[in-house]
Amino acid sequence: MNILAPSMLSVDFGHMEKELKIATEAGTDVIHVDVMDGNFVPNISFGPPVIKYVKKAVPNAKLDVHAMIIDPIRYLETFFKLGIWGLTIHYEATDDIRGDLAKIRDLGIRAGVAISPDTPVSAIEDILDQVDMVLAMSVYPGFGGQSFIEATYQKLRELRRISDERGLNLDIEVDGGVSLDNLESILDAGANVIVAGSAIFGPNTGDNVIQFKNIMDRK
């Protein structure tokens, strides 16, 4: 199943509630929430208070939290209480990836592992049976508006091949530089969860969601 997850990193915070409602009413039921700590990545975004607000603004939306933070498990209980749908943590941001993923799943939250562009798929091959989703970053984490890194296509193909061969049925997510121009190629490479920020939120948020969904629904 293909899932569109618009990224809040590109939303107009002066009209956040309006924009999120437009996106969900146009047909997406997942919102991608980038949490940055200014440590793992050089930028700072937002934390639990904003997530709480989003949950209230669009209560039927599933919140897919991408934790770009060091030692992310520190915030697991907080995220859990906020009613998030999924939590993706970076392989590079923890010393106990297995233990952290187990704690996430024990709370009934979808567990995801993210790898940055310089991390090979081989680094996470032995933990793929512990996750619901793998996020292959197609830009360097921390900032929106970057160009898609072409080497990501090979990572997506590799992840889909491993998932199929092992019968894991993984969701494979891609985040960064996604647009209508490369969407079909990304889907063909094996991704089924699509994160897009600047290509979604803007003057034509609703229409952008519909265009993305039309392509994804045909695949």
Side-chain angles (χ1 to χ4, degrees):
M1 177 183 175
N2 291 330
I3 297 171
L4 177 62
S7 171
M8 274 188 56
L9 198 60
S10 297
V11 78
D12 178 354
F13 276 76
H15 303 90
M16 180 167 62
E17 182 173 350
K18 177 184 176 182
E19 286 291 288
L20 292 174
K21 285 183 175 178
I22 289 172
T24 55
E25 289 169 3
T28 184
D29 62 353
V30 176
I31 300 295
H32 187 83
V33 185
D34 290 300
V35 178
M36 306 179 191
D37 63 359
N39 190 358
F40 177 67
V41 293
N43 201 2
I44 296 173
S45 57
F46 36 75
V50 172
I51 296 174
K52 182 178 181 180
Y53 177 84
V54 172
K55 190 66 178 175
K56 181 178 180 181
V58 282
N60 294 325
K62 299 172 182 176
L63 303 189
D64 175 28
V65 174
H66 176 194
M68 288 176 271
I69 56 181
I70 295 292
D71 193 17
I73 216 67
R74 290 175 295 158
Y75 300 96
L76 177 58
E77 288 290 338
T78 300
F79 290 145
F80 172 70
K81 290 176 181 177
L82 291 171
I84 69 169
W85 176 65
L87 176 60
T88 297
I89 61 176
H90 270 263
Y91 167 81
E92 306 90 355
T94 174
D95 293 326
D96 185 17
I97 188 68
R98 285 183 174 274
D100 288 354
L101 290 169
K103 290 173 183 176
I104 295 170
R105 297 187 87 176
D106 284 347
L107 287 179
I109 299 172
R110 278 171 45 91
V113 62
I115 52 174
S116 295
D118 294 335
T119 301
V121 170
S122 58
I124 59 169
E125 274 196 72
D126 63 341
I127 59 169
L128 292 180
D129 60 344
Q130 292 185 258
V131 301
D132 300 292
M133 182 172 72
V134 179
L135 166 54
M137 290 297 298
S138 46
V139 297
Y140 286 94
F143 296 94
Q146 299 179 62
S147 297
F148 185 89
I149 295 173
E150 296 291 313
T152 308
Y153 288 120
Q154 179 55 37
K155 279 188 176 179
L156 296 175
R157 286 190 286 268
E158 189 174 355
L159 285 165
R160 181 55 65 197
R161 175 184 60 78
I162 294 171
S163 176
D164 290 346
E165 288 179 356
R166 298 185 187 178
L168 297 175
N169 196 31
L170 291 173
D171 281 325
I172 298 176
E173 185 174 48
V174 65
D175 180 5
V178 179
S179 68
L180 288 171
D181 292 334
N182 60 17
L183 177 57
E184 290 200 48
S185 296
I186 290 169
L187 294 168
D188 288 341
N192 71 297
V193 182
I194 304 298
V195 177
S198 55
I200 293 290
F201 289 113
N204 303 302
T205 297
D207 289 341
N208 293 337
V209 168
I210 290 170
Q211 289 185 69
F212 266 78
K213 291 281 289 181
N214 284 344
I215 293 173
M216 294 172 68
D217 289 346
R218 292 201 304 267
K219 290 290 182 177

